[in-house]
Amino acid sequence: MKTNELIQLEDQYGAHNYHPLDVVIERGEGVWVWDVEGKKYLDCLSAYSAVNQGHVHPSILEAMTEQAKKITLTSRAFRNDQLPLFYKTLADTTGYEMALPMNSGAEAVETAIKLARKWAYQVKGVPRHEAEIIVCEGNFHGRTITIVTFSSEDLYKQDFGPFTPGFKMVAYGDAKAIEEAITPNTAAVMIEPIQGEGGVLVPPDGYLKTVETICKDNNVLLITDEIQTGLGRTGKMFAAEHEGVRADMTIIGKALSGGFYPVSAVLADTEIMSLFVPGEHGSTFGGNPLGAAVASAALKVLVDEKLIEKANELGEYFMEQLVEIPSPHVKEVRGKGMMIGIELKDTAGGARRFCEALQDRGILCKETHETVIRFAPPLVIDKETIDWTLPQIREVLNME
Ligand SMILES: *Cc1c(COP(=O)(O)O)cnc(C)c1O
């Protein structure tokens, strides 16, 4: 079936909760994807950083198919032979003592919220059901009712209330605002080290470090949502490491499975994680042997192929080159590692038409927040491919 037929079917039978570019992808390999017409594109979105390891990475594929032939799901009512190895790999690669596996990112965020609240009641002594969690304007933590409760994006919440109490919102990048919002009932501050969906917003230098200190001084947990920034994307295992910050809990997802299968996790040390007791929380698929095998392989690829170091070096190169491109439309180029955003001026007429023009030239990007084009290719990209994109991007950024 060709592009138009498939689009027509999708629009007729599927809910319209996305506004995708009209490219119908059939196949992918590394940084490249092919549409149903056989046209080849460079993927500069990486499924919102879920395919840091590149599309259909052969060793993750092998782990997946080998495990799928043995057993896929046991439920946590029984143990399986893959989960312990996944835990050990996670601990070795992230430095956190324990983990709790879930599936989607949003579920892991919900898990972290539960754990922070339990910590507030059991350890900090906050009166039951009065815990507060501080979040930032412009955040993106997922789509559940509780999570959209504390979104500042009208579209994500306007018709979905009533909402969940217990959250306070402060400006992003303003550590003092966090300090002022803390009360004796504050359980945690939850933060993205860089706001991806918010438009690749990089907070001022020293912000996260100051927030960490404020949290420590006030007996408040720091939770970093590294679902998008983590696992190498910004040139470190976790973006918080750029400031030497180690959060009490780190939330990961997306690239944890290299794009094969939804796997997410909350990472914390034993002191906090051991607050969960049997029966309090769970997930039918969370920690299943297929997901565990895939995620172990995906983590191994990050390390073995030095993708984190590569993201750091090539990301810096890519950004330097993008900054050099003269354009009447560009307001700012910003980011860290291989997480780069180009913000356009108000007069540019929105980012979408630039994404469509890039699509014509074989580069797939997605606009975020109308005015930002995000460049976040898989971390397996090489310099030659980056150099190929530059004249294309230059042409597009100089359209009428
Ligand atoms: C994508 C994302 C989520 C939500 O993950 P899902 O798997 O879509 O539920 C949460 N936080 C951040 C920072 C994200 O980028």
Side-chain angles (χ1 to χ4, degrees):
M1 258 190 241
K2 291 298 175 202
T3 302
N4 288 340
E5 271 176 284
L6 289 162
I7 290 175
Q8 194 268 324
L9 278 180
E10 181 169 328
D11 286 350
Q12 181 176 348
Y13 295 108
H16 296 179
N17 58 327
Y18 276 89
H19 181 34
L21 287 181
D22 283 339
V23 53
V24 181
I25 296 167
E26 172 178 77
R27 180 163 79 80
E29 191 185 320
V31 297
W32 304 101
V33 295
W34 285 262
D35 72 9
V36 290
E37 318 283 341
K39 184 172 174 191
K40 180 181 172 185
Y41 304 86
L42 175 69
D43 181 1
C44 275
L45 182 66
S46 310
Y48 302 97
S49 296
V51 284
N52 287 356
Q53 298 87 339
H55 288 280
V56 198
H57 192 288
S59 46
I60 311 175
L61 175 65
E62 195 188 328
M64 182 158 182
T65 50
E66 286 309 305
Q67 186 57 43
K69 286 181 209 157
K70 290 189 201 154
I71 190 160
T72 55
L73 183 62
T74 53
S75 88
R76 297 285 303 280
F78 310 125
R79 297 179 188 264
N80 71 69
D81 71 343
Q82 294 301 308
L83 184 56
L85 306 176
F86 174 40
Y87 282 147
K88 180 70 167 60
T89 307
L90 264 181
D92 291 345
T93 47
T94 70
Y96 282 97
E97 291 167 3
M98 296 182 91
L100 194 159
M102 296 293 282
N103 312 285
S104 67
E107 286 172 294
V109 171
E110 292 266 352
T111 302
I113 291 169
K114 279 188 174 177
L115 189 52
R117 285 178 169 184
K118 181 155 193 197
W119 174 86
Y121 305 134
Q122 300 283 322
V123 179
K124 184 166 173 171
V126 172
R128 184 165 274 170
H129 297 178
E130 288 182 29
E132 293 163 1
I133 293 175
I134 298 171
V135 296
C136 292
E137 272 165 33
N139 71 69
F140 184 82
H141 297 290
R143 301 291 199 161
T144 65
I145 296 286
T146 288
I147 295 170
V148 299
T149 292
F150 51 80
S151 171
S152 51
E153 183 67 46
D154 271 347
L155 181 66
Y156 296 172
K157 62 187 297 190
Q158 60 199 2
D159 284 325
F160 304 124
F163 298 116
T164 309
F167 299 94
K168 269 193 182 175
M169 183 134 61
V170 301
Y172 186 59
D174 181 353
K176 199 151 189 291
I178 288 180
E179 192 162 29
E180 285 165 1
I182 290 175
T183 73
N185 290 347
T186 305
V189 172
M190 182 163 67
I191 252 175
E192 296 156 88
I194 294 173
Q195 287 186 338
E197 300 313 298
V200 192
L201 296 180
V202 185
D205 282 345
Y207 169 66
L208 206 60
K209 191 73 201 170
T210 311
V211 173
E212 182 184 48
T213 307
I214 291 169
C215 287
K216 284 211 169 84
D217 291 349
N218 290 278
N219 196 25
V220 164
L221 299 178
L222 175 62
I223 306 171
T224 47
D225 179 348
E226 298 246 21
I227 291 170
Q228 190 163 149
T229 53
L231 305 179
R233 175 52 57 187
T234 72
K236 298 271 187 199
M237 177 58 86
F238 299 125
E241 290 170 27
H242 287 289
E243 302 209 333
V245 167
R246 185 177 186 272
D248 299 292
M249 287 184 225
T250 293
I251 309 168
I252 53 176
K254 295 204 165 111
L256 184 52
S257 65
F260 278 81
Y261 188 96
V263 183
S264 64
V266 176
L267 308 172
D269 286 339
T270 313
E271 197 188 340
I272 294 173
M273 195 61 91
S274 58
L275 289 169
F276 271 134
V277 299
E280 266 187 338
H281 186 59
S283 159
T284 302
F285 278 81
N288 74 73
L290 184 60
V294 164
S296 298
L299 285 169
K300 192 166 180 301
V301 168
L302 280 182
V303 176
D304 289 357
E305 299 188 10
K306 298 198 175 358
L307 294 185
I308 301 170
E309 294 83 347
K310 266 188 87 178
N312 195 34
E313 281 162 33
L314 283 178
E316 195 169 316
Y317 172 73
F318 197 8
M319 190 144 83
E320 276 167 14
Q321 298 300 310
L322 290 173
V323 169
E324 291 296 310
I325 293 178
S327 158
H329 304 303
V330 174
K331 186 170 163 193
E332 190 185 24
V333 180
R334 58 178 179 248
K336 217 164 230 162
M338 205 57 91
M339 184 172 184
I340 304 171
I342 298 186
E343 179 162 1
L344 303 172
K345 294 178 184 163
D346 291 340
T347 50
R352 176 102 183 172
R353 67 188 188 99
F354 293 91
C355 292
E356 285 166 355
L358 285 166
Q359 178 191 345
D360 291 341
R361 287 168 176 78
I363 298 173
L364 292 182
C365 288
K366 186 70 170 73
E367 78 275 10
T368 171
H369 277 247
E370 323 267 287
T371 55
V372 180
I373 312 171
R374 179 166 25 188
F375 289 90
L379 308 183
V380 293
I381 195 169
D382 55 23
K383 183 169 175 296
E384 197 190 340
T385 307
I386 291 175
D387 287 339
W388 167 80
T389 68
L390 294 168
Q392 326 280 335
I393 297 170
R394 187 192 178 105
E395 258 180 58
V396 166
L397 289 178
N398 283 281
M399 299 190 310
E400 284 288 298

